[in-house]
Amino acid sequence: MTDVKTTTEPLLSIRDLRTYFHMGSVTARSVDGVSFDVGAGETVGIVGESGCGKSVTALSILRLIQPPGRIEPGSVIAFEGKDLVTLGDEEIRNVRGNRISMIFQEPMSALNPVFTVGDQVAEVARIHAGVSRKEAWNRAVEALSLTGIPAPGDRAKQYPHQLSGGMRQRVLIAMALMMKPALVIADEPTTALDVTIQAQILDLLVGLQKQFGTSILMITHDLGVIAETTSRVIVMYAGEIVEQAAVDELFAKPHHPYTEGLMFAMPHIGRDQERLNVIPGTVPAPTAWPVGCRFRERCPYSWDLCEREHPPLYQIGAGHISRCHLAIEPERRNHPHPPLVVQEGAAA
Amino acid sequence: MIDTSAPLLSVRNLKKSFPIKKGVFGRQVGAVQAVNDVSFDVAPGETLGIVGESGGGKTTAGRAILRLIEPTSGSIKFEGRDVCALDTRGLRAIRREMQIIFQDPVSSLNPRMTIGAIIREGLIIHKLAQGAAADARVKQLLEEVGLRKEYATRYPHEFSGGQRQRIGVARALSVEPKLIICDEPVSALDVSVQAQVINLLQDLQRERNLTYMFIAHDLSVVEHIANRVAVMYLGKIVELATSEDLYREPLMPYTQALLSAVPVADPAARKERIILQGDVPSPANPPSGCVFHPRCHHPAKDEACSRIVPPLEEKAPGHLAACIKQPPTIVSWEQQQQAGGVRPPERYLPIAAVH
């Protein structure tokens, strides 16, 4: 899992993706110039907090952005020789659920309450493989059994409300894997689940990925899930990629101050710490990203360059990039200062 | 400062069951034992963590202590006063001393009230301050939780999740309580904001010698903040120990599985884990004997586990666990054999559970 696969032609190649929401006089630049690749059979993680643009990136890949949102002209999402941005409606429907499928966070709202789960899984095969009702049902039961649902034949006849959260998530995984897609986008697939059920589902996803060689784009806020499932990690902040590296490298040598801050803000079992490190302030609004470095005001190392110049993605090491000027003045890391933003909670 | 001479809160044999009704006449056909015979003490100045998965009963236990839901039976003593015996007036008085902070900072603040009015309400109800004195107190409270005093005139929707949770803290503090029940106070927040709120709660505890009951499903947050931790499963406390002992040496197999399931944010530390089979059984129809036995991985598990209800007993000084297969136990080997037991108790601590 830890080796980064290098294929000559990536399965998915995103270049300068910009997804903006035009709301009257203001524009929210939710995804603002994102570029990355996912190789065949690779598991790539995108980590970041609410509002960083990770979910909008996922929805953009499947063209599920609704007005007033729009993928801006010039954005490229190359997948299996096609540009998904310019694909016709009919063609994109053939990609969705067939070549690329998605697992959502909330399994209850992703399932239709008035159909049995078997019908809903079978529908995928009927639409994309054009098979008969009976054949589709058989395939659905087979897919359900693959996800470890006990007595799949009986479970298939039940309705979503009759299943537990973990079972519903297995149903969604069965739907997502039905057509043996090349890429599965998992958007916080275990966030709504209890920790022992989360362990079951992550175990299942990793196992199925090994079995079928599916690529996975794992979107999560949880660095633990990232560390346990992915081989390469993308850190997003304020609509941009701020760091990208192989998983071992990222955790051993985080470069961007935001990545570093996230890692120290998390309590770790077995680590004795009197106080948690805090990233002061909050994420800026997507309608008004700060000029220069977008993390500048919350950063303990920022200097005048950070205000003047929006940092590019610097090459830090092999396959490791970081959007931080510390790359050119690394000695500044030894001299942290209080961040510019007023620290809420510092009073009292 | 934890004062262990007399508990602030003492809960004994607390039970709460919800009836299951069916048909047009609402005939009762069963009951969900949400909290099933739970006993514990909380010392002044202490933080007791309560962990477990959905359906474990931790939220119900927290609310039953405040009588936000009426307990079915059991006793709750706060500073020696019997909470269950209080009338409406007495209950109102005691709630000044026991406050709660909710998980969802959106739905727990009235959207039509200003922040100032929300925090002021408690002061007025409990006749702690009024008029200009109340206004001054509101401003002071806002500053104590790290918000600007000008925020008093704004409405909840103008704030971020972390700020709303600070408002919830200010509201709880307004009446100067001794005990605050924190029900998943940080689980709706982002990691960086979560750390801010946890630090705030710890600072306030130190300054005001507050006592916390900290209910959460996130085991690493609880380890960080709690002095002692109770693990709940299907309405029962299955293990209770100091935070240090529980995370270093979990004895109840459920706690072991829970700890091993936590994803570790360190790819170099990837480890084997105990993957529990199946889901949490329905609390309407809990398994016989030990409620965890159908999913248990203890190598000595046998027929006796499905027949004998394991007592929550001391396995080491101050370390309670409910498992008849982890020695020492007051359920003798003879008794276990009579109940169909074939494997004698033996100490079991898998590597995967140790952090």
Side-chain angles (χ1 to χ4, degrees), chain A residues 50 164 194 196 200 227 275 279, chain B residues 53-54 190 203 270 276 279:
Chain A
S50 330
S164 67
D194 278 320
T196 62
Q200 291 176 357
R275 278 177 78 78
I279 303 176
Chain B
E53 299 180 285
S54 338
D190 274 321
D203 291 345
R270 268 187 204 137
L276 286 182
D279 287 319

Side-chain angles (χ1 to χ4, degrees), chain B residues 11-12 32 42 54 60 62 111-112 151 165 185 192 202 206 208 218 240 250 259 264 272 278 282 285 303 320 340:
Chain B
V11 175
R12 289 292 173 274
V32 175
V42 189
S54 338
T60 307
R112 290 164 210 273
Y151 289 172
Q165 205 53 292
S192 68
Q202 288 186 307
R206 210 169 302 128
R208 295 162 168 257
D218 186 325
L240 177 63
L259 283 173
V264 180
E272 286 300 306
S282 160
N285 188 18
E303 196 59 28
L320 309 181

Side-chain angles (χ1 to χ4, degrees), chain B residues 50-353:
Chain B
I50 300 195
V51 298
E53 299 180 285
S54 338
K58 43 192 203 306
T59 291
T60 307
R63 294 190 184 182
I65 288 166
L66 289 177
R67 277 181 66 195
L68 292 173
I69 45 182
E70 278 305 319
T72 308
S73 64
S75 96
I76 301 162
K77 291 227 166 74
F78 183 82
E79 290 189 320
R81 285 169 284 171
D82 186 351
V83 177
C84 295
L86 294 171
D87 59 5
T88 317
R89 182 179 294 185
L91 196 56
R92 176 174 284 188
I94 210 160
R95 280 195 190 137
R96 202 198 121 181
E97 299 173 57
M98 298 195 286
Q99 285 286 306
I100 184 164
I101 301 169
F102 297 97
Q103 169 176 7
D104 186 346
V106 180
S107 61
S108 59
L109 299 176
N110 186 337
R112 290 164 210 273
M113 287 167 75
T114 63
I115 300 313
I118 288 171
I119 299 172
R120 216 166 180 268
E121 216 178 10
L123 297 174
I124 306 300
I125 289 171
H126 292 291
K127 300 188 174 67
L128 297 173
Q130 38 184 307
D135 291 340
R137 183 82 187 105
V138 166
K139 286 177 181 162
Q140 190 189 350
L141 282 161
L142 281 171
E143 290 188 330
E144 276 180 59
V145 298
L147 295 171
R148 280 179 228 153
K149 56 180 188 290
E150 298 82 53
Y151 289 172
T153 54
R154 298 199 192 169
Y155 288 87
H157 74 267
E158 298 176 63
F159 295 92
S160 69
Q163 289 173 322
R164 286 196 196 125
Q165 205 53 292
R166 288 176 193 273
I167 295 163
V169 174
R171 173 175 59 185
L173 288 179
S174 68
V175 294
E176 286 164 33
K178 291 179 178 143
L179 172 73
I180 300 182
I181 296 179
C182 309
D183 189 3
E184 301 270 11
V186 296
S187 44
L189 306 176
D190 274 321
V191 175
S192 68
V193 181
Q194 174 180 306
Q196 297 174 7
V197 174
I198 292 172
N199 285 350
L200 172 68
L201 288 172
Q202 288 186 307
D203 291 345
L204 292 169
Q205 177 168 47
R206 210 169 302 128
E207 286 154 21
R208 295 162 168 257
N209 201 30
L210 289 167
T211 306
Y212 290 142
M213 233 177 98
F214 195 95
I215 300 166
H217 70 278
D218 186 325
L219 292 146
S220 32
V221 168
V222 171
E223 191 214 17
H224 179 77
I225 200 165
N227 307 107
R228 279 189 312 141
V229 180
V231 181
M232 286 190 76
Y233 185 75
L234 279 176
K236 287 181 176 293
I237 291 181
V238 295
E239 188 154 0
L240 177 63
T242 63
S243 178
E244 207 171 53
D245 286 348
L246 188 91
Y247 287 82
R248 200 187 49 212
E249 212 177 331
L251 292 176
M252 168 70 193
Y254 174 65
T255 314
Q256 297 176 347
L258 203 58
L259 283 173
S260 96
V262 179
V264 180
D266 178 5
R270 268 187 204 137
K271 58 183 166 71
E272 286 300 306
R273 60 167 41 130
I274 306 159
I275 301 271
L276 286 182
Q277 297 308 305
D279 287 319
V280 179
S282 160
N285 188 18
S288 61
C290 170
V291 283
F292 185 61
H293 86 263
R295 305 173 80 198
C296 184
H297 54 273
H298 195 295
K301 180 180 96 169
D302 58 25
E303 196 59 28
C305 299
S306 63
R307 300 237 175 101
I308 299 170
V309 177
L312 183 63
E313 57 188 340
E314 198 158 49
K315 303 285 183 186
H319 192 151
L320 309 181
C323 178
I324 58 168
K325 294 301 179 183
Q326 286 288 28
T329 175
I330 54 164
V331 182
S332 70
W333 174 227
E334 287 70 35
Q335 280 170 283
Q336 293 192 27
Q337 281 174 310
Q338 278 161 21
V342 288
R343 298 190 192 97
E346 69 173 301
R347 195 184 148 76
Y348 176 62
L349 181 62
I351 294 292

